[in-house]
Amino acid sequence: MEKKLEKMKQQVIECTKCELSQTRNNSVAGKGNFKADVIFVGEAPGKNEDLKGEPFIGIAGKKLSIALESAGITREEVYITNIVKCRPPKNRVPTPIERETCQNYLKKEIEIIEPKIICILGNTAFSSLLDGKEITKFRGKVVSKNNQLYFLTVHPAATIYNQKLISVLKKDMKKLFRVIKELKDKKKIKIDIEYTS
Ligand code: URA
Ligand code: SF4
């Protein structure tokens, strides 16, 4: 399993499938525990991530760590990745074509790790994975689609200048790990939104 993730990571490092490869310093594959119960999916690497080749290591990453800690979870226990693996110039939102071109890497990560639930961080991941919009309206909810569970919350970067949103993110992390505990205990969980395809 770890081998497959390493192979995927190497492919990401070498990837030139979309034009973001021309402006990046480093591509950024996901990082974390390959036995994780949950995969966190953000938008795209930012400046610090691009320089180091690691996801969520800047201020947004710090906010994510703080929210996880408040739920008693460390980053070593989870797996963290993004919709696209290379930084868009000036941190613009990745285009539909870039997202589509990059999507097989995320699919691979999900296939290998088989998370109990995928935590969507913000609107880019929400629209890419569930065709959703307005995450602030739907945050805190559990979604089921094609036999995969998702949990919706705000992007950690949105909490940087908004103190209210950091409490929201912390509250959501507590709920997420409560749901994960219930799943592990084979309890029936409450699904808020069921997608039919
Ligand atoms: N924002 C993201 O969406 N992903 C990162 O890795 C860092 C900041
Ligand atoms: Fe390849 Fe994705 Fe980077 Fe585009 S963003 S070059 S598809 S790894």
Side-chain angles (χ1 to χ4, degrees):
M1 243 183 347
E2 243 182 326
K3 280 241 170 65
K4 283 188 183 169
L5 269 184
E6 278 305 317
K7 195 176 155 208
M8 182 276 313
K9 193 171 178 180
Q10 201 51 43
Q11 286 169 347
V12 167
I13 288 171
E14 291 163 14
C15 183
T16 53
K17 283 200 286 182
C18 86
E19 62 181 28
L20 295 181
S21 62
Q22 294 166 24
T23 46
R24 73 174 179 226
N25 289 298
N26 291 291
S27 25
V28 182
K31 188 167 188 247
N33 191 331
F34 69 99
K35 288 181 180 161
D37 297 317
V38 54
I39 295 184
F40 287 86
V41 186
E43 177 177 282
K47 188 176 182 192
N48 294 291
E49 291 78 16
D50 172 71
L51 289 174
K52 279 255 172 89
E54 278 186 39
F56 281 99
I57 53 161
I59 308 177
K62 180 84 197 148
K63 296 288 178 188
L64 179 60
S65 296
I66 289 170
L68 284 173
E69 272 163 35
S70 80
I73 304 295
T74 64
R75 283 175 63 142
E76 285 65 45
E77 297 173 58
V78 302
Y79 188 87
I80 301 173
T81 193
N82 285 298
I83 290 290
V84 301
K85 314 305 194 205
C86 301
R87 182 194 184 200
K90 296 184 186 154
N91 296 345
R92 65 163 170 73
V93 177
T95 65
I97 288 173
E98 289 158 0
R99 298 183 204 190
E100 206 187 298
T101 313
C102 206
Q103 71 181 352
N104 277 339
Y105 296 123
L106 177 58
K107 281 198 181 136
K108 265 268 150 57
E109 292 175 303
I110 296 168
E111 205 181 286
I112 296 166
I113 294 168
E114 295 187 279
K116 290 189 168 56
I117 195 160
I118 294 170
C119 183
I120 287 181
L121 301 169
N123 270 318
T124 298
F126 190 25
S127 69
S128 303
L129 296 176
L130 295 175
D131 208 17
K133 47 180 186 241
E134 296 186 86
I135 193 86
T136 43
K137 268 196 197 166
F138 293 100
R139 54 138 287 273
K141 294 193 190 302
V142 175
V143 175
S144 167
K145 185 193 178 189
N146 296 337
N147 280 319
Q148 174 69 60
L149 291 176
Y150 297 83
F151 182 78
L152 308 177
T153 192
V154 296
H155 194 288
T159 71
I160 295 171
Y161 300 107
N162 188 329
Q163 277 307 307
K164 269 192 205 128
L165 279 187
I166 188 73
S167 342
V168 164
L169 185 61
K170 285 180 181 174
K171 185 175 155 203
D172 284 355
M173 288 306 102
K174 291 193 183 88
K175 175 169 179 187
L176 169 62
F177 286 94
R178 211 158 54 227
V179 169
I180 290 171
K181 172 89 172 50
E182 288 170 1
L183 287 168
K184 286 176 145 178
D185 293 345
K186 309 260 185 256
K187 289 198 180 127
K188 202 169 156 50
I189 61 147
K190 179 175 174 282
I191 290 164
D192 300 300
I193 306 169
E194 187 107 41
Y195 277 59
T196 42
S197 47

